Amino acid sequence: MAEVTKRILEAVGLNPARFRIDWASAAEAPRFVQIVTDFTEAIKKIGPLGEPEGLDKETLKLRLAAARELCTKNRFRAAYGNLARAIKKEGDYSPESIARKVEEKLVPLIKKELLEAEIKALLAKGPVSIETLLSKTGASQEEVTAVLEGLSKRGQVVREGDLWQPKTS
Amino acid sequence: MAFEPKILSFFCHWCCYAAADSAGVARYQYPPNNRVVRVMCTGRIDPRFIVEAFYVGADGVLVGG
């Protein structure tokens, strides 16, 4: 869970250190205080959300809305569940092996679904050109074209000249 | 004014939440930036929760098990 969340934050463009998971038992009040103090200090050092990462408010909102979308997608949830099951079956819970598996199985899916959600959100506001999509999403030409082609194959978008827009039935 | 981060914390009812409670009883000092959500188990937490927290403007998310 922690590894996947960190990868999602990275894909969004946020510092993964903004998320931390730690343990303290009910009897470990001093340790708890230490964890909370350390984390607060770390966040203070990193700064306000989006600012040190160089994301303006609008981009941040767009990216995080896409990430929210991603987390509810059945394809992502199924892949996430399958990975958890595969790890359980193998019984190898070392952080390295989990990180490797997540990188292999989930990161490409996360990136693709995020981009698709971002493009859909941008298209929903009206017709846009590929150039605008490229500058707003920060993805490469090939990636954006691949997503647009996929969407138009499924009949969700149409192209008119240089502009792309959602298909109205 | 110094930057005061907004931190959302998810604490397990049986571990960190109880630890927070006893830290309060023992009068330990710790930063007031945390907004705590109690969950019955850390296993309940899903990446969706954390993304949602950032979406609504948290600067950091801490999960305590």
Side-chain angles (χ1 to χ4, degrees):
Chain A
M1 197 287 286
E3 187 63 30
V4 176
T5 311
K6 287 199 165 154
R7 292 287 92 80
I8 293 176
L9 290 184
E10 258 174 25
V12 166
L14 289 171
N15 187 341
R18 286 185 184 281
F19 164 71
R20 187 181 289 180
I21 182 161
D22 220 327
W23 287 267
S25 87
E28 295 177 307
R31 180 172 149 75
F32 165 79
V33 170
Q34 193 62 44
I35 290 168
V36 172
T37 316
D38 283 353
F39 187 64
T40 312
E41 285 308 313
I43 294 295
K44 269 189 187 161
K45 225 173 252 166
I46 295 173
L49 190 70
E51 223 168 79
E53 288 95 348
L55 297 171
D56 58 56
K57 282 231 164 65
E58 197 196 334
T59 322
L60 190 67
K61 232 16 189 206
L62 173 75
R63 297 261 169 96
L64 283 170
R68 239 168 127 212
E69 187 86 356
L70 160 80
C71 292
T72 59
K73 276 266 169 73
N74 279 345
R75 279 187 64 196
F76 169 73
R77 305 224 51 108
Y80 177 51
N82 286 342
L83 185 65
R85 204 177 318 133
I87 291 172
K88 192 178 175 196
K89 203 172 170 192
E90 271 182 40
D92 181 4
Y93 292 102
S94 68
E96 297 81 30
S97 119
I98 291 180
R100 202 182 54 243
K101 287 205 182 78
V102 169
E103 183 75 48
E104 217 171 84
K105 296 254 163 67
L106 281 183
V107 171
L109 181 69
I110 290 174
K111 285 195 177 142
K112 192 175 151 266
E113 294 284 339
L114 265 183
L115 186 61
E116 195 177 305
E118 279 172 31
I119 288 178
K120 269 192 187 165
L122 288 169
L123 284 172
K125 287 182 202 151
V128 260
S129 68
I130 285 214
E131 285 70 38
T132 329
L133 288 179
L134 286 176
S135 70
K136 290 250 164 121
T137 58
S140 76
Q141 177 113 29
E142 294 86 61
E143 287 168 331
V144 172
T145 330
V147 170
L148 283 174
E149 268 168 13
L151 285 174
S152 64
K153 242 181 219 163
R154 277 180 272 150
Q156 293 178 349
V157 294
V158 278
R159 184 179 184 165
E160 266 178 39
D162 282 341
L163 298 177
W164 289 83
Q165 56 183 345
K167 194 167 189 176
T168 44
S169 50
Chain B
M1 204 180 86
F3 165 57
E4 284 297 332
K6 267 186 257 169
I7 297 174
L8 187 75
S9 315
F10 293 98
F11 289 155
C12 159
H13 173 79
W14 311 102
C15 307
C16 251
Y17 197 83
D21 203 15
S22 60
V25 171
R27 293 175 179 269
Y28 284 112
Q29 298 272 330
Y30 59 92
N33 306 68
N34 279 48
R35 319 293 199 271
V36 180
V37 175
R38 179 175 64 104
V39 288
M40 289 314 279
C41 173
T42 326
R44 177 69 183 85
I45 305 197
D46 185 274
R48 169 88 202 263
F49 297 3
I50 291 136
V51 170
E52 189 74 35
F54 284 115
Y55 182 75
V56 295
D59 295 303
V61 178
L62 177 66
V63 172

